[in-house]
């Protein structure tokens, strides 16, 4: 009759647990690799759709009224300030300020064109 010591059983249990953990980690790594490969194959498609969405948004902003653009800029700026006060990550705050910068550039361009049209119209 063979008697197993408690130390031998603990060692065997630890070895079995380590093997199971290694298999689990390997499976997770394989899933992660497959996900990365799948995402990498979609990068050009995602970039094209993002570019189209940004172009569409800029086109809408350029054709919008000054009042609508000012309201949009105010909303985006308010959201950014709220996130800043609320302690949101800086990346999110910067992302919320992107529309403010785009709208500001469009409004500034409009004002510059109006001023140049007035100045060239007044001199002629």
């Amino acid at each position: 009759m063979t008697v197993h010591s408690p130390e031998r059983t603990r060692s065997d249990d630890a070895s079995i647990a380590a093997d199971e953990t290694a298999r689990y980690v390997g499976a997770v790594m394989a899933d992660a690799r497959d996900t990365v490969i799948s995402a990498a194959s979609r990068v050009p498609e995602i970039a094209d759709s993002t570019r189209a969405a940004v172009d569409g948004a800029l086109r809408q902003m350029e054709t919008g009224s000054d009042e609508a653009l000012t309201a949009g800029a105010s909303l985006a700026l308010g959201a950014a300030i709220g996130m800043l006060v609320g302690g949101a990550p800086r990346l999110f705050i910067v992302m919320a300020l992107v529309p403010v910068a785009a709208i500001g550039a469009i409004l500034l361009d409009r004002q510059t064109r109006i001023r140049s049209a007035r100045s060239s119209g007044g001199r002629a």
Side-chain angles (χ1 to χ4, degrees):
M1 177 169 173
T2 307
V3 177
H4 295 289
S5 67
E7 293 169 6
R8 177 75 177 160
T9 305
R10 286 186 204 138
S11 175
D12 289 343
D13 289 345
S15 177
I16 291 170
D19 288 343
E20 288 176 1
T21 302
R23 277 190 292 258
Y24 177 74
V25 169
V28 168
M29 293 301 289
D31 287 345
R33 182 193 59 196
D34 293 342
T35 302
V36 168
I37 289 171
S38 174
S41 67
R42 293 182 182 170
V43 167
E45 178 183 320
I46 293 169
D48 289 342
S49 64
T50 302
R51 186 179 312 118
V54 169
D55 287 344
L58 285 175
R59 204 172 306 117
Q60 275 189 319
M61 283 191 284
E62 288 172 354
T63 59
S65 68
D66 287 352
E67 292 81 16
L69 291 175
T70 303
S74 299
L75 177 69
L77 185 61
I81 291 171
M83 287 192 290
L84 180 67
V85 170
R90 291 178 186 164
L91 178 64
F92 293 159
I93 297 168
V94 169
M95 288 172 46
L97 290 173
V98 168
V100 175
I103 292 170
I106 290 170
L107 289 173
L108 184 63
D109 183 51
R110 286 183 183 177
Q111 291 298 322
T112 304
R113 278 190 272 159
I114 290 171
R115 285 186 189 145
S116 66
R118 284 183 186 164
S119 64
S120 58
R123 291 182 185 170

